[in-house]
Amino acid sequence: MNLHERLRAQVGAINTKISKLGRRSVSERITEHQTVRLRADLGNWRLALSNAENLYYPDRTELYRLYREAVLDSHLTSVMETRTLNLLCQPFKVVSIKGQVEDEKLTRMFMTPWFFELCKEAMESLFWGPRVVELQPPVDGEFSGIELVQPEMVIPEFGLIRDAPGSLSGINYREGIEAQWLIQLGKPKELGLLHKAIPHVVWKKNSMQAWAEYCDRFALPVRTLEMDLNNEDRREVEDMLKNMGRAAYAILPPGATNFQYHLPQNFQQGVFAGMIDYPNTELSKLILGQTMTTENGSSRSQAEVHERVSEKYTKADKMYLRNLIMWEVWDRLLIHGYPVAGFEFKWDETETLTKKDQWDIVQGIMQHSGYRVPSKYIVDTFGVEVEEKPEPKPLPVQVPPTPAPGK
């Protein structure tokens, strides 16, 4: 018995009652977790991993706190959005299983906000781990939207949504009536790529903080003043130096010659910048598999290699999302009345040509093949109104006058 048949068997006797009484959404039945920001450090990271991997009571609450801190990093956010947008911008279509003919009406039914958000949350599951979304009640035969269940309230290992923070009781979203409204995106035990990104984000933040402290202390030259340390005016002089700015200062006794202070060195910038660039490079490799699509490259050949790696990642993400739609979402659509029986979701792999490439083809046909391109095609493709070129009129034949006899 497949998922579609199992869901129908479980909810067949309850659907009428649910439609009459109405169904309360999950967010109305649970007490959501209050998100508290947590300073990210490696000690907290190891403890959070240990809690999340606990066999008997897995708890990802602390791990998600670290995730929320990690995604504040601008470079990490950029590479995550790059990988997500590479997939969301791919064209798709709904085709018949027999014949592979596109149904344009069904394709338009999926060009909706709820489906776009579903695909986006599916990509987020690669970074955050499994996520559970709730389908909103249909309006005019189509879902009105989706709602993400707060990740801290989900125990994917048990298929459970807590009814309160820290609770081991709640809503089973894999069985019964809830299974037709709730969809898990991602595998239950996956922790997501962000748990590998946290150490690099921590080191990067520490390096930036150390660089800021270095600049605060040593970027400005130290001010020195020689005077008797027992002088009654010493307090006033010290207050004056303190109020003159943030640069360091020193009050020295007369004749002090062994006082040394640090001067800014050029190599310090390279040290701190390297400690920041290295985590950025590692984050790019972790999320995108390469670096040159987000950073400057050294050669065109290397850039082409990195671009091919990026295309492989996008191809794998397309396979992941298609499998998720066909094996998890499609059965829910059938239950809720979507006419998708006998159809399948498919990425549109049709090669798209630029206007210039299309015009070059048109020119080649007209100049070298002997055929003519209909004006309707030019209007539909290029949006330029044209008229049929008139046929050239033949010139009249000049007949020389007949010479007179004898001449």
Side-chain angles (χ1 to χ4, degrees), residues 202-229:
V202 171
W203 293 329
K204 179 181 174 181
K205 285 186 176 181
N206 291 340
S207 299
M208 294 177 65
Q209 183 177 358
W211 195 357
E213 292 177 356
Y214 174 85
C215 293
D216 187 46
R217 294 184 181 183
F218 304 114
L220 298 176
V222 178
R223 295 168 293 171
T224 60
L225 176 66
E226 294 186 6
M227 66 176 298
D228 186 359
L229 300 182

PDB file of all heavy atoms in Angstrom, residues 202-229:
ATOM      1  N   VAL A 202      32.420  31.127  13.924  1.00  0.00           N
ATOM      2  CA  VAL A 202      32.974  31.522  15.225  1.00  0.00           C
ATOM      3  C   VAL A 202      34.383  32.063  15.064  1.00  0.00           C
ATOM      4  O   VAL A 202      34.734  33.122  15.610  1.00  0.00           O
ATOM      5  CB  VAL A 202      32.945  30.327  16.197  1.00  0.00           C
ATOM      6  CG1 VAL A 202      33.719  30.645  17.471  1.00  0.00           C
ATOM      7  CG2 VAL A 202      31.505  29.956  16.542  1.00  0.00           C
ATOM      8  N   TRP A 203      35.238  31.351  14.321  1.00  0.00           N
ATOM      9  CA  TRP A 203      36.616  31.809  14.118  1.00  0.00           C
ATOM     10  C   TRP A 203      36.637  33.151  13.386  1.00  0.00           C
ATOM     11  O   TRP A 203      37.455  34.026  13.682  1.00  0.00           O
ATOM     12  CB  TRP A 203      37.400  30.769  13.318  1.00  0.00           C
ATOM     13  CG  TRP A 203      37.604  29.488  14.072  1.00  0.00           C
ATOM     14  CD1 TRP A 203      37.735  29.350  15.429  1.00  0.00           C
ATOM     15  CD2 TRP A 203      37.681  28.172  13.523  1.00  0.00           C
ATOM     16  NE1 TRP A 203      37.887  28.034  15.754  1.00  0.00           N
ATOM     17  CE2 TRP A 203      37.860  27.281  14.613  1.00  0.00           C
ATOM     18  CE3 TRP A 203      37.613  27.656  12.237  1.00  0.00           C
ATOM     19  CZ2 TRP A 203      37.974  25.902  14.442  1.00  0.00           C
ATOM     20  CZ3 TRP A 203      37.732  26.290  12.070  1.00  0.00           C
ATOM     21  CH2 TRP A 203      37.905  25.438  13.159  1.00  0.00           C
ATOM     22  N   LYS A 204      35.762  33.316  12.436  1.00  0.00           N
ATOM     23  CA  LYS A 204      35.706  34.564  11.690  1.00  0.00           C
ATOM     24  C   LYS A 204      35.310  35.720  12.605  1.00  0.00           C
ATOM     25  O   LYS A 204      35.918  36.801  12.571  1.00  0.00           O
ATOM     26  CB  LYS A 204      34.707  34.426  10.539  1.00  0.00           C
ATOM     27  CG  LYS A 204      34.540  35.685   9.700  1.00  0.00           C
ATOM     28  CD  LYS A 204      33.523  35.462   8.595  1.00  0.00           C
ATOM     29  CE  LYS A 204      33.233  36.738   7.847  1.00  0.00           C
ATOM     30  NZ  LYS A 204      32.226  36.541   6.779  1.00  0.00           N
ATOM     31  N   LYS A 205      34.315  35.524  13.444  1.00  0.00           N
ATOM     32  CA  LYS A 205      33.886  36.578  14.361  1.00  0.00           C
ATOM     33  C   LYS A 205      34.987  36.921  15.357  1.00  0.00           C
ATOM     34  O   LYS A 205      35.214  38.090  15.681  1.00  0.00           O
ATOM     35  CB  LYS A 205      32.622  36.155  15.106  1.00  0.00           C
ATOM     36  CG  LYS A 205      31.364  36.205  14.256  1.00  0.00           C
ATOM     37  CD  LYS A 205      30.133  35.925  15.089  1.00  0.00           C
ATOM     38  CE  LYS A 205      28.860  36.080  14.261  1.00  0.00           C
ATOM     39  NZ  LYS A 205      27.649  35.828  15.078  1.00  0.00           N
ATOM     40  N   ASN A 206      35.679  35.904  15.859  1.00  0.00           N
ATOM     41  CA  ASN A 206      36.774  36.146  16.801  1.00  0.00           C
ATOM     42  C   ASN A 206      37.889  36.945  16.133  1.00  0.00           C
ATOM     43  O   ASN A 206      38.485  37.840  16.758  1.00  0.00           O
ATOM     44  CB  ASN A 206      37.321  34.825  17.344  1.00  0.00           C
ATOM     45  CG  ASN A 206      36.326  34.121  18.253  1.00  0.00           C
ATOM     46  OD1 ASN A 206      35.395  34.745  18.784  1.00  0.00           O
ATOM     47  ND2 ASN A 206      36.507  32.833  18.450  1.00  0.00           N
ATOM     48  N   SER A 207      38.196  36.624  14.871  1.00  0.00           N
ATOM     49  CA  SER A 207      39.239  37.358  14.153  1.00  0.00           C
ATOM     50  C   SER A 207      38.839  38.802  13.929  1.00  0.00           C
ATOM     51  O   SER A 207      39.654  39.727  14.075  1.00  0.00           O
ATOM     52  CB  SER A 207      39.532  36.672  12.813  1.00  0.00           C
ATOM     53  OG  SER A 207      39.989  35.349  13.002  1.00  0.00           O
ATOM     54  N   MET A 208      37.590  39.030  13.590  1.00  0.00           N
ATOM     55  CA  MET A 208      37.121  40.398  13.379  1.00  0.00           C
ATOM     56  C   MET A 208      37.144  41.193  14.683  1.00  0.00           C
ATOM     57  O   MET A 208      37.501  42.379  14.698  1.00  0.00           O
ATOM     58  CB  MET A 208      35.702  40.373  12.798  1.00  0.00           C
ATOM     59  CG  MET A 208      35.625  39.781  11.399  1.00  0.00           C
ATOM     60  SD  MET A 208      33.934  39.673  10.752  1.00  0.00           S
ATOM     61  CE  MET A 208      33.520  41.407  10.627  1.00  0.00           C
ATOM     62  N   GLN A 209      36.788  40.539  15.786  1.00  0.00           N
ATOM     63  CA  GLN A 209      36.831  41.221  17.074  1.00  0.00           C
ATOM     64  C   GLN A 209      38.267  41.557  17.475  1.00  0.00           C
ATOM     65  O   GLN A 209      38.551  42.662  17.971  1.00  0.00           O
ATOM     66  CB  GLN A 209      36.172  40.362  18.141  1.00  0.00           C
ATOM     67  CG  GLN A 209      36.110  41.017  19.515  1.00  0.00           C
ATOM     68  CD  GLN A 209      35.392  40.153  20.533  1.00  0.00           C
ATOM     69  OE1 GLN A 209      34.909  39.075  20.206  1.00  0.00           O
ATOM     70  NE2 GLN A 209      35.329  40.624  21.763  1.00  0.00           N
ATOM     71  N   ALA A 210      39.184  40.598  17.241  1.00  0.00           N
ATOM     72  CA  ALA A 210      40.588  40.856  17.570  1.00  0.00           C
ATOM     73  C   ALA A 210      41.151  41.980  16.701  1.00  0.00           C
ATOM     74  O   ALA A 210      41.933  42.820  17.185  1.00  0.00           O
ATOM     75  CB  ALA A 210      41.403  39.579  17.379  1.00  0.00           C
ATOM     76  N   TRP A 211      40.766  42.026  15.444  1.00  0.00           N
ATOM     77  CA  TRP A 211      41.225  43.092  14.550  1.00  0.00           C
ATOM     78  C   TRP A 211      40.705  44.445  15.016  1.00  0.00           C
ATOM     79  O   TRP A 211      41.419  45.445  15.012  1.00  0.00           O
ATOM     80  CB  TRP A 211      40.761  42.794  13.129  1.00  0.00           C
ATOM     81  CG  TRP A 211      41.467  43.606  12.069  1.00  0.00           C
ATOM     82  CD1 TRP A 211      42.408  44.580  12.283  1.00  0.00           C
ATOM     83  CD2 TRP A 211      41.315  43.498  10.653  1.00  0.00           C
ATOM     84  NE1 TRP A 211      42.850  45.092  11.090  1.00  0.00           N
ATOM     85  CE2 TRP A 211      42.195  44.447  10.068  1.00  0.00           C
ATOM     86  CE3 TRP A 211      40.541  42.704   9.833  1.00  0.00           C
ATOM     87  CZ2 TRP A 211      42.298  44.609   8.693  1.00  0.00           C
ATOM     88  CZ3 TRP A 211      40.643  42.860   8.460  1.00  0.00           C
ATOM     89  CH2 TRP A 211      41.509  43.805   7.892  1.00  0.00           C
ATOM     90  N   ALA A 212      39.435  44.472  15.441  1.00  0.00           N
ATOM     91  CA  ALA A 212      38.861  45.723  15.932  1.00  0.00           C
ATOM     92  C   ALA A 212      39.580  46.205  17.192  1.00  0.00           C
ATOM     93  O   ALA A 212      39.865  47.407  17.354  1.00  0.00           O
ATOM     94  CB  ALA A 212      37.369  45.541  16.201  1.00  0.00           C
ATOM     95  N   GLU A 213      39.900  45.268  18.096  1.00  0.00           N
ATOM     96  CA  GLU A 213      40.624  45.649  19.312  1.00  0.00           C
ATOM     97  C   GLU A 213      42.029  46.140  18.985  1.00  0.00           C
ATOM     98  O   GLU A 213      42.530  47.096  19.599  1.00  0.00           O
ATOM     99  CB  GLU A 213      40.695  44.455  20.264  1.00  0.00           C
ATOM    100  CG  GLU A 213      39.341  44.050  20.841  1.00  0.00           C
ATOM    101  CD  GLU A 213      39.450  42.829  21.719  1.00  0.00           C
ATOM    102  OE1 GLU A 213      40.567  42.254  21.805  1.00  0.00           O
ATOM    103  OE2 GLU A 213      38.426  42.436  22.325  1.00  0.00           O
ATOM    104  N   TYR A 214      42.664  45.486  18.011  1.00  0.00           N
ATOM    105  CA  TYR A 214      44.003  45.909  17.605  1.00  0.00           C
ATOM    106  C   TYR A 214      43.971  47.336  17.058  1.00  0.00           C
ATOM    107  O   TYR A 214      44.817  48.177  17.395  1.00  0.00           O
ATOM    108  CB  TYR A 214      44.548  44.939  16.559  1.00  0.00           C
ATOM    109  CG  TYR A 214      45.866  45.366  15.955  1.00  0.00           C
ATOM    110  CD1 TYR A 214      47.068  45.067  16.583  1.00  0.00           C
ATOM    111  CD2 TYR A 214      45.893  46.072  14.757  1.00  0.00           C
ATOM    112  CE1 TYR A 214      48.272  45.460  16.019  1.00  0.00           C
ATOM    113  CE2 TYR A 214      47.091  46.470  14.192  1.00  0.00           C
ATOM    114  CZ  TYR A 214      48.276  46.161  14.821  1.00  0.00           C
ATOM    115  OH  TYR A 214      49.470  46.555  14.281  1.00  0.00           O
ATOM    116  N   CYS A 215      42.991  47.602  16.194  1.00  0.00           N
ATOM    117  CA  CYS A 215      42.875  48.949  15.621  1.00  0.00           C
ATOM    118  C   CYS A 215      42.564  49.972  16.707  1.00  0.00           C
ATOM    119  O   CYS A 215      43.066  51.106  16.671  1.00  0.00           O
ATOM    120  CB  CYS A 215      41.791  48.969  14.550  1.00  0.00           C
ATOM    121  SG  CYS A 215      42.190  47.990  13.076  1.00  0.00           S
ATOM    122  N   ASP A 216      41.750  49.577  17.661  1.00  0.00           N
ATOM    123  CA  ASP A 216      41.375  50.505  18.718  1.00  0.00           C
ATOM    124  C   ASP A 216      42.577  50.882  19.585  1.00  0.00           C
ATOM    125  O   ASP A 216      42.680  52.009  20.067  1.00  0.00           O
ATOM    126  CB  ASP A 216      40.275  49.865  19.566  1.00  0.00           C
ATOM    127  CG  ASP A 216      39.705  50.830  20.586  1.00  0.00           C
ATOM    128  OD1 ASP A 216      39.421  51.982  20.205  1.00  0.00           O
ATOM    129  OD2 ASP A 216      39.561  50.445  21.756  1.00  0.00           O
ATOM    130  N   ARG A 217      43.487  49.932  19.759  1.00  0.00           N
ATOM    131  CA  ARG A 217      44.624  50.185  20.653  1.00  0.00           C
ATOM    132  C   ARG A 217      45.845  50.757  19.924  1.00  0.00           C
ATOM    133  O   ARG A 217      46.556  51.594  20.476  1.00  0.00           O
ATOM    134  CB  ARG A 217      45.031  48.880  21.350  1.00  0.00           C
ATOM    135  CG  ARG A 217      43.976  48.349  22.306  1.00  0.00           C
ATOM    136  CD  ARG A 217      44.484  47.120  23.018  1.00  0.00           C
ATOM    137  NE  ARG A 217      43.479  46.575  23.927  1.00  0.00           N
ATOM    138  CZ  ARG A 217      43.684  45.523  24.733  1.00  0.00           C
ATOM    139  NH1 ARG A 217      44.883  44.912  24.699  1.00  0.00           N
ATOM    140  NH2 ARG A 217      42.736  45.086  25.517  1.00  0.00           N
ATOM    141  N   PHE A 218      46.099  50.271  18.715  1.00  0.00           N
ATOM    142  CA  PHE A 218      47.382  50.579  18.101  1.00  0.00           C
ATOM    143  C   PHE A 218      47.289  51.315  16.765  1.00  0.00           C
ATOM    144  O   PHE A 218      48.318  51.670  16.189  1.00  0.00           O
ATOM    145  CB  PHE A 218      48.184  49.289  17.882  1.00  0.00           C
ATOM    146  CG  PHE A 218      48.376  48.494  19.139  1.00  0.00           C
ATOM    147  CD1 PHE A 218      47.797  47.243  19.273  1.00  0.00           C
ATOM    148  CD2 PHE A 218      49.131  49.007  20.183  1.00  0.00           C
ATOM    149  CE1 PHE A 218      47.977  46.506  20.430  1.00  0.00           C
ATOM    150  CE2 PHE A 218      49.312  48.277  21.337  1.00  0.00           C
ATOM    151  CZ  PHE A 218      48.722  47.025  21.468  1.00  0.00           C
ATOM    152  N   ALA A 219      46.106  51.521  16.238  1.00  0.00           N
ATOM    153  CA  ALA A 219      46.021  52.192  14.946  1.00  0.00           C
ATOM    154  C   ALA A 219      46.422  53.661  15.056  1.00  0.00           C
ATOM    155  O   ALA A 219      46.975  54.232  14.114  1.00  0.00           O
ATOM    156  CB  ALA A 219      44.614  52.069  14.373  1.00  0.00           C
ATOM    157  N   LEU A 220      46.143  54.297  16.203  1.00  0.00           N
ATOM    158  CA  LEU A 220      46.516  55.695  16.415  1.00  0.00           C
ATOM    159  C   LEU A 220      47.832  55.764  17.201  1.00  0.00           C
ATOM    160  O   LEU A 220      48.074  54.944  18.084  1.00  0.00           O
ATOM    161  CB  LEU A 220      45.415  56.423  17.187  1.00  0.00           C
ATOM    162  CG  LEU A 220      44.049  56.503  16.488  1.00  0.00           C
ATOM    163  CD1 LEU A 220      43.033  57.169  17.406  1.00  0.00           C
ATOM    164  CD2 LEU A 220      44.171  57.252  15.172  1.00  0.00           C
ATOM    165  N   PRO A 221      48.697  56.728  16.875  1.00  0.00           N
ATOM    166  CA  PRO A 221      49.978  56.837  17.598  1.00  0.00           C
ATOM    167  C   PRO A 221      49.768  57.173  19.071  1.00  0.00           C
ATOM    168  O   PRO A 221      48.822  57.880  19.440  1.00  0.00           O
ATOM    169  CB  PRO A 221      50.710  57.964  16.857  1.00  0.00           C
ATOM    170  CG  PRO A 221      49.634  58.755  16.208  1.00  0.00           C
ATOM    171  CD  PRO A 221      48.560  57.786  15.847  1.00  0.00           C
ATOM    172  N   VAL A 222      50.661  56.653  19.900  1.00  0.00           N
ATOM    173  CA  VAL A 222      50.570  56.883  21.348  1.00  0.00           C
ATOM    174  C   VAL A 222      51.087  58.280  21.675  1.00  0.00           C
ATOM    175  O   VAL A 222      52.124  58.721  21.173  1.00  0.00           O
ATOM    176  CB  VAL A 222      51.388  55.822  22.111  1.00  0.00           C
ATOM    177  CG1 VAL A 222      51.332  56.077  23.616  1.00  0.00           C
ATOM    178  CG2 VAL A 222      50.859  54.428  21.787  1.00  0.00           C
ATOM    179  N   ARG A 223      50.373  58.995  22.534  1.00  0.00           N
ATOM    180  CA  ARG A 223      50.796  60.332  22.963  1.00  0.00           C
ATOM    181  C   ARG A 223      51.555  60.196  24.285  1.00  0.00           C
ATOM    182  O   ARG A 223      51.103  59.496  25.202  1.00  0.00           O
ATOM    183  CB  ARG A 223      49.570  61.233  23.170  1.00  0.00           C
ATOM    184  CG  ARG A 223      48.801  61.518  21.881  1.00  0.00           C
ATOM    185  CD  ARG A 223      47.462  62.150  22.180  1.00  0.00           C
ATOM    186  NE  ARG A 223      46.590  61.208  22.868  1.00  0.00           N
ATOM    187  CZ  ARG A 223      45.411  61.541  23.408  1.00  0.00           C
ATOM    188  NH1 ARG A 223      44.999  62.796  23.373  1.00  0.00           N
ATOM    189  NH2 ARG A 223      44.667  60.637  24.005  1.00  0.00           N
ATOM    190  N   THR A 224      52.695  60.829  24.355  1.00  0.00           N
ATOM    191  CA  THR A 224      53.515  60.777  25.568  1.00  0.00           C
ATOM    192  C   THR A 224      53.762  62.189  26.099  1.00  0.00           C
ATOM    193  O   THR A 224      53.859  63.154  25.326  1.00  0.00           O
ATOM    194  CB  THR A 224      54.867  60.096  25.279  1.00  0.00           C
ATOM    195  OG1 THR A 224      55.565  60.836  24.280  1.00  0.00           O
ATOM    196  CG2 THR A 224      54.654  58.658  24.808  1.00  0.00           C
ATOM    197  N   LEU A 225      53.878  62.284  27.407  1.00  0.00           N
ATOM    198  CA  LEU A 225      54.114  63.569  28.075  1.00  0.00           C
ATOM    199  C   LEU A 225      55.028  63.316  29.262  1.00  0.00           C
ATOM    200  O   LEU A 225      54.783  62.399  30.055  1.00  0.00           O
ATOM    201  CB  LEU A 225      52.797  64.190  28.548  1.00  0.00           C
ATOM    202  CG  LEU A 225      52.916  65.496  29.336  1.00  0.00           C
ATOM    203  CD1 LEU A 225      53.454  66.608  28.444  1.00  0.00           C
ATOM    204  CD2 LEU A 225      51.571  65.882  29.934  1.00  0.00           C
ATOM    205  N   GLU A 226      56.128  64.116  29.356  1.00  0.00           N
ATOM    206  CA  GLU A 226      57.058  63.987  30.477  1.00  0.00           C
ATOM    207  C   GLU A 226      56.748  65.041  31.527  1.00  0.00           C
ATOM    208  O   GLU A 226      56.662  66.234  31.221  1.00  0.00           O
ATOM    209  CB  GLU A 226      58.498  64.143  29.988  1.00  0.00           C
ATOM    210  CG  GLU A 226      58.961  63.019  29.068  1.00  0.00           C
ATOM    211  CD  GLU A 226      60.442  63.135  28.737  1.00  0.00           C
ATOM    212  OE1 GLU A 226      61.107  64.019  29.331  1.00  0.00           O
ATOM    213  OE2 GLU A 226      60.927  62.364  27.897  1.00  0.00           O
ATOM    214  N   MET A 227      56.572  64.585  32.763  1.00  0.00           N
ATOM    215  CA  MET A 227      56.345  65.506  33.873  1.00  0.00           C
ATOM    216  C   MET A 227      56.568  64.753  35.179  1.00  0.00           C
ATOM    217  O   MET A 227      56.599  63.509  35.208  1.00  0.00           O
ATOM    218  CB  MET A 227      54.930  66.094  33.836  1.00  0.00           C
ATOM    219  CG  MET A 227      53.827  65.085  34.073  1.00  0.00           C
ATOM    220  SD  MET A 227      52.179  65.854  34.131  1.00  0.00           S
ATOM    221  CE  MET A 227      52.368  66.952  35.541  1.00  0.00           C
ATOM    222  N   ASP A 228      56.741  65.503  36.215  1.00  0.00           N
ATOM    223  CA  ASP A 228      56.951  64.912  37.530  1.00  0.00           C
ATOM    224  C   ASP A 228      55.672  64.179  37.941  1.00  0.00           C
ATOM    225  O   ASP A 228      54.583  64.755  37.974  1.00  0.00           O
ATOM    226  CB  ASP A 228      57.297  66.007  38.541  1.00  0.00           C
ATOM    227  CG  ASP A 228      57.679  65.441  39.896  1.00  0.00           C
ATOM    228  OD1 ASP A 228      57.655  64.187  40.039  1.00  0.00           O
ATOM    229  OD2 ASP A 228      57.967  66.231  40.809  1.00  0.00           O
ATOM    230  N   LEU A 229      55.827  62.904  38.252  1.00  0.00           N
ATOM    231  CA  LEU A 229      54.644  62.112  38.601  1.00  0.00           C
ATOM    232  C   LEU A 229      54.005  62.558  39.901  1.00  0.00           C
ATOM    233  O   LEU A 229      52.839  62.246  40.168  1.00  0.00           O
ATOM    234  CB  LEU A 229      55.007  60.622  38.674  1.00  0.00           C
ATOM    235  CG  LEU A 229      55.549  59.997  37.373  1.00  0.00           C
ATOM    236  CD1 LEU A 229      55.831  58.512  37.575  1.00  0.00           C
ATOM    237  CD2 LEU A 229      54.568  60.201  36.235  1.00  0.00           C
TER     238      LEU A 229
END
